[in-house]
Amino acid sequence: MRRIGMMLGLAVIGLSGCVVDRVEPIEPSESGVTINESAEETSPEEMPVSTDKEVFGSIIEDVPKGTTRLVDAVTAQYTLQYTDGTSEQPTRDGVFYETVIDDLGLIAIQLPNRDDSFGVFNYSRGEEWMLHGIQNFTIPEAAEKVQHGLDLSEAELFVTHFEMNQLERPVEMWTLYDETQIITILSTDASSVADGELIERRDVSNERYRLNQPEGNGLFYVDQGKLIVVTGNVSEKVLLNLSDSLPEAWSADFPLKE
């Protein structure tokens, strides 16, 4: 299982539903990108010394026409620029999970600027893949894990929330993670759901459907008109136990418990 280390801040980036072909670093005021800073502040003397390259900005280009795999979309269109004038793109071998269901796509991939940095990219697909949002993770030393109340081996995990209401099919997602696991829970309208492989279980009252994905494991189910997708770089059994412990989809505190 790929290891995720401790990072230095947490930023959640939401794109307005269009991608741009730029030769300059993307600035929020210029591109319509909104940035929600939700990390705790860390003073300079508390910041660990790092020899990793300092990020100057990022470029998001159009996905090449005819692209089918999400990993090919991300590695082609997302570029990090550094203050020393160099740049890098994520690579295919950095994928934690790659999930596609209906017209939705979700992929978690290691970012190239640090060995312990990663992003979760949310896509939709019409004729081509279109990037809508990025969860770009860093963790200050002062950050605290959350008591999530779900059936997972770790009682506390880091949790980040991301909501995209501007889409025709609004998406809300939460990523729970620590040094060894990344699990994303996505909720959206169950307007249409692709056929999935029913997971045979002793308890038939909770139907879960397997997602056939090239990296990681994923499953989905429908609850009160909501499509719930659970995916991550963990075993299917872990995802099943987690999904069974989730509160009802319309619960005010979904997906966490007290």
Side-chain angles (χ1 to χ4, degrees), residues 2 91-96 108-111:
R2 201 184 309 275
T91 62
R92 293 177 63 93
D93 60 1
V95 177
F96 296 101
I109 192 168
Q110 182 174 326
L111 298 180

Side-chain angles (χ1 to χ4, degrees), residues 3-17:
R3 180 173 180 82
I4 307 163
M6 300 301 291
M7 299 162 263
L8 304 178
L10 170 62
V12 178
I13 306 175
L15 281 75
S16 62

Side-chain angles (χ1 to χ4, degrees), residues 195-214:
D195 292 334
E197 178 187 357
L198 180 65
I199 301 174
E200 295 185 4
R201 319 172 62 197
R202 183 173 301 173
D203 182 3
V204 296
S205 63
N206 296 325
E207 289 188 344
R208 302 289 186 263
Y209 295 87
R210 179 179 295 113
L211 290 169
N212 183 16
Q213 51 192 67

Side-chain angles (χ1 to χ4, degrees), residues 159-173:
V159 179
T160 183
H161 172 238
F162 190 29
E163 192 168 3
M164 290 173 286
N165 290 319
Q166 78 278 12
L167 304 180
E168 182 178 349
R169 188 179 183 182
V171 168
E172 194 168 8
M173 59 192 238

